[in-house]
Amino acid sequence: MKLTPLARWVARGQGQHFVVKRLRDADAVLTPVALGHLRAAGQPLLGRPYDLAFNWSDQQIYCSELIWKVYDRGLHQQLGRLQRLRDFDLRHPAVQAKLRERYGRHLPLDEPVISPQAVFESPQLVTVLAR
């Protein structure tokens, strides 16, 4: 995991569209102490490789996993509902091919997964900016 400047990240997206969300009760929750807890929770994950297999370990990390774990470990708040790989529709041929490429014949169907959509739809978050 590495830090990417916002402008560079937005430039990579489709139509440079982005949405900024924050905790619904951010003014009350995100005190200097709480922000310190979030930094402390995220610091050990810096420099980890990106996790293309979506494993739940901290050896590698993917985008929504990072957010979920930092808030869970730093503030004991879970942003989005954890699912299992088996909960997703895995029938599409492109998905099947990618699964075979990443896992071979042994799909970790019970692996915990947090999708970007689950974090995005978390009722604990509110939209503060959309472009």
Side-chain angles (χ1 to χ4, degrees):
M1 200 250 341
K2 65 180 180 174
L3 300 176
T4 302
L6 180 61
R8 187 178 310 153
W9 185 80
V10 169
R12 292 191 316 222
Q14 187 175 18
Q16 297 186 2
H17 172 71
F18 68 95
V19 176
V20 176
K21 292 197 171 206
R22 83 170 33 124
L23 287 177
R24 181 173 302 283
D25 53 358
D27 291 339
V29 173
L30 296 180
T31 64
V33 170
L35 292 171
H37 290 307
L38 290 171
R39 278 188 209 94
Q43 193 66 38
L45 302 173
L46 279 173
R48 301 290 167 112
Y50 191 82
D51 186 1
L52 292 172
F54 306 111
N55 294 313
W56 196 245
S57 79
D58 289 353
Q59 299 303 313
Q60 298 174 316
I61 198 115
Y62 59 93
C63 54
S64 50
E65 176 189 16
L66 171 68
I67 299 303
W68 197 93
K69 286 181 175 180
V70 167
Y71 273 83
D72 181 52
R73 294 170 184 176
L75 299 180
H76 306 289
Q77 291 199 31
Q78 292 83 37
L79 301 182
R81 184 177 64 85
L82 280 180
Q83 296 174 276
R84 303 277 178 207
L85 188 58
R86 74 172 62 253
D87 297 331
F88 294 90
D89 183 355
L90 307 174
R91 296 174 293 176
H92 191 279
V95 172
Q96 290 286 315
K98 191 55 77 175
L99 289 171
R100 278 192 303 279
E101 174 188 319
R102 291 181 180 171
Y103 302 110
R105 299 179 138 213
H106 305 287
L107 295 178
L109 294 175
D110 289 319
E111 187 77 16
V113 176
I114 185 70
S115 70
Q117 191 69 31
V119 173
F120 187 83
E121 293 175 351
S122 172
Q124 293 161 271
L125 300 176
V126 294
T127 299
V128 294
L129 178 66
R131 289 197 186 153

